[in-house]
Amino acid sequence: MLPQLFKHPDYAEDQPSAHTILTVHCLHRGFTAGTIIGLASPFARIAFTTILRRPSPALPLPWTARLLSSAAVGSLGGTAVTGVGMIARMWGRDEIEWQDRSWRILANKTQNREDDWSAGGIIIGAMALAFATRRGAGVGLPLGRASLGGAAVGSLLGTVGHVLTSSNSVEEVEKKVVAGEGPLAPEAKR
């Protein structure tokens, strides 16, 4: 997604739009991470009430709607926390540090492939739930929340799809790192 939108020069100090690149990347990753936490929350609630042996109050939403709603809220929370974390981490940093981090993101082909899969999942998930909701076959959520939940789950499924179809096994990646090869090898840095 990002390499198609932003130029990747030969040297990090020539990287334009460094703040935008890093911000988009961090918010995108936070969106997916928040989805994982959001999807885990209904299960944590069930486990918590089971451990305490308290009856779980009946929820007005069906199970699918609860998961999508939790994914939507989690994705927003993850995006917000990641945004604040990025600001805290990069506050007062020199421009070259922003450029270097952004340049490395654009140079990392595996990360770019994951971003593409995740962005595709966001689009497909949002469109599918919006279409289903508009046609009356939705899950009992308002259009906005259903679309956001679909986008969140789509982002996560895109990430899973990337991992499952990746040609690099863990062993291959370890060999490349030990050998000093890959997108961040010393000769690729400059």
Side-chain angles (χ1 to χ4, degrees), residues 17 23 33 42 83 86 90 95 103 121 127 140 158 187:
S17 306
T23 301
M86 185 206 64
M90 296 304 292
E95 185 66 22
W103 187 88
M127 289 177 63
E187 66 274 359

Side-chain angles (χ1 to χ4, degrees), residues 21 29 45 49 55 57 60 69 72 77-79 98 120-121 126 133-134 156 179:
I21 293 167
R29 297 286 49 87
R45 181 175 185 215
T49 56
S69 183
T79 302
W98 285 84
T133 301
R134 298 280 295 178
L156 183 59

Side-chain angles (χ1 to χ4, degrees), residues 21-125:
I21 293 167
L22 189 60
T23 301
V24 168
H25 171 75
C26 289
L27 295 178
H28 187 181
R29 297 286 49 87
F31 188 82
T32 305
T35 301
I36 294 169
I37 295 167
L39 287 174
S41 65
F43 298 106
R45 181 175 185 215
I46 291 169
F48 185 71
T49 56
T50 303
I51 290 170
L52 294 178
R53 295 199 168 115
R54 293 184 182 160
S56 180
L59 296 174
L61 295 174
W63 184 243
T64 307
R66 277 186 276 171
L67 284 177
L68 284 172
S69 183
S70 295
V73 172
S75 66
L76 291 178
T79 302
V81 168
T82 305
V84 170
M86 185 206 64
I87 291 169
R89 176 81 173 138
M90 296 304 292
W91 191 266
R93 300 285 176 143
D94 293 332
E95 185 66 22
I96 188 64
E97 294 181 75
W98 285 84
Q99 290 172 320
D100 183 59
R101 283 174 171 81
S102 299
W103 187 88
R104 287 174 183 269
I105 289 168
L106 294 179
N108 189 331
K109 301 226 183 309
T110 304
Q111 181 63 57
N112 293 326
R113 184 174 183 270
E114 194 283 327
D115 285 344
D116 290 343
W117 276 77
S118 179
I122 288 171
I123 293 166
I124 292 169

